[in-house]
């Protein structure tokens, strides 16, 4: 009995070690980005919006509305029966030929979820492009519904400004952003997010990290204003910084 228990314990330890090792190796993939350090981290810590543990909302913002607990919400999300949670047919959409658009025509094209292609004042702007089938670190998790992601990086013309509002998987997609690297002139993102982009091969000179209430210099008469954006979690740590971006 003791030998059997010892054998099972050894197997359990080996399995746990294998799982931990495999997870660590997978986490080294470039798509996980990079945590800000050095001068970038010093800039974050000097921000008036940084409290020492992370960025704080300007007004108290509870994570959950009402008197619901996190446990009850999680149980409902995981186990509650939901009717028609998945569409039975592909979502209807119209694919615009972005390459053929007159550059001087002001236009907004919704690309799905939070992704937008905008032409304004002769500038081409791309916001939070996600063209992958899954907005998650592993395939087939948080998968896009059929018909909702008809665009690819090849469909996008040269971009004057790539705006990244924050670095959640459904707003900052490794495959999409790396594919757009050669087409992108300037990136504007929140503090800390530039660490990901540098790891992914973007030139440091192209990246403009902005704090709330700032207006990154463009030098061409085009201004991008960065107002506060509510952080749903209540605290936002460096590397998962949220910022709203508004153009003027």
């Amino acid at each position: 009995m003791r030998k059997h228990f010892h054998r099972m314990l050894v197997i359990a330890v080996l399995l746990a070690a294998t799982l931990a090792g495999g997870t660590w190796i997978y986490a080294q993939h470039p798509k996980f980005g990079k945590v800000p350090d050095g001068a970038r981290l010093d800039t974050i810590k000097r921000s008036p919006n940084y409290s020492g543990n992370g960025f704080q909302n300007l007004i108290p913002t509870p994570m959950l509305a009402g008197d619901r607990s996190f446990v009850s919400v999680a149980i409902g999300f995981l186990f509650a029966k939901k009717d028609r949670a998945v569409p039975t047919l592909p979502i209807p959409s119209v694919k615009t030929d972005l390459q053929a658009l007159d550059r001087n025509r002001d236009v907004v094209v919704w690309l799905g979820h939070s992704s937008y292609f905008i032409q304004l004042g002769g500038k081409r702007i791309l916001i939070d492009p996600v063209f992958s089938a899954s907005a998650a670190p592993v395939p087939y998790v948080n998968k896009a519904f059929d018909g909702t992601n008809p665009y690819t990086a090849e469909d996008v013309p040269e971009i004057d400004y790539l705006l990244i509002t924050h670095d959640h998987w459904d707003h900052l997609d490794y495959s999409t952003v790396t594919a757009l690297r050669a087409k992108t002139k300037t990136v504007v993102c929140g503090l800390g997010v530039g660490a990901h982009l540098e790891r992914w091969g973007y030139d440091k000179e192209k990246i403009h990290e902005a704090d709330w209430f700032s207006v990154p210099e463009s030098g061409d008469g085009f201004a991008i204003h960065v107002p506060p954006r509510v952080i749903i979690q209540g605290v936002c740590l460096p590397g998962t910084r949220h910022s709203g971006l508004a153009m003027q």
Side-chain angles (χ1 to χ4, degrees):
M1 184 62 143
R2 182 174 297 177
K3 287 184 178 180
H4 178 72
F5 175 77
H6 179 73
R7 187 181 300 113
M8 295 299 295
L9 181 61
V10 170
I11 292 174
V13 170
L14 289 175
L15 288 174
T18 301
L19 179 61
T23 300
W24 183 87
I25 292 172
Y26 185 66
Q28 307 313 304
H29 191 284
K31 66 182 174 183
F32 288 95
K34 185 179 186 297
V35 175
D37 57 11
R40 179 174 278 114
L41 182 57
D42 291 339
T43 300
I44 290 172
K45 291 180 177 179
R46 288 196 301 268
S47 168
N49 305 301
Y50 185 77
S51 68
N53 294 319
F55 290 91
Q56 300 285 341
N57 285 326
L58 301 182
I59 58 175
T61 307
M63 184 173 181
L64 300 173
D67 57 357
R68 298 181 302 168
S69 69
F70 178 81
V71 173
S72 64
V73 172
I75 291 174
F77 178 78
L78 293 173
F79 302 108
K81 183 179 179 181
K82 304 174 184 67
D83 294 329
R84 300 186 65 188
V86 178
T88 56
L89 297 173
I91 303 296
S93 61
V94 176
K95 184 176 180 180
T96 300
D97 187 349
L98 305 178
Q99 301 274 3
L101 290 173
D102 180 356
R103 188 185 185 97
N104 296 313
R105 176 190 173 193
D106 291 350
V107 63
V108 177
V109 180
W110 180 43
L111 307 179
H113 191 52
S114 297
S115 303
Y116 291 87
F117 174 84
I118 299 174
Q119 290 189 168
L120 184 63
K123 302 295 185 183
R124 285 172 171 160
I125 302 113
L126 191 60
I127 302 176
D128 289 356
V130 176
F131 301 144
S132 296
S134 296
V138 293
Y140 306 109
V141 175
N142 202 22
K143 188 175 182 296
F145 294 139
D146 290 341
T148 61
N149 60 336
Y151 292 93
T152 67
E154 287 71 29
D155 297 319
V156 179
E158 187 177 71
I159 297 298
D160 294 293
Y161 292 97
L162 173 62
L163 308 185
I164 303 297
T165 61
H166 61 288
D167 64 355
H168 285 177
W169 293 94
D170 58 338
H171 291 260
L172 178 59
D173 179 61
Y174 167 75
S175 298
T176 301
V177 171
T178 52
L180 291 169
R181 185 172 54 217
K183 297 182 176 183
T184 302
K185 294 181 179 179
T186 302
V187 182
V188 179
C189 58
L191 296 181
V193 177
H196 303 315
L197 299 169
E198 279 194 45
R199 187 183 183 192
W200 299 342
Y202 275 75
D203 293 336
K204 187 175 182 178
E205 292 72 22
K206 284 186 175 183
I207 303 170
H208 298 267
E209 295 179 71
D211 200 355
W212 294 341
F213 302 108
S214 66
V215 184
E217 295 291 335
S218 64
D220 58 3
F222 193 85
I224 298 174
H225 294 248
V226 185
R229 184 180 189 273
V230 172
I231 302 166
I232 302 302
Q233 295 90 337
V235 175
C236 200
L237 300 177
T240 56
R241 174 69 195 282
H242 291 53
S243 290
L245 297 174
M247 293 165 293
Q248 180 176 326

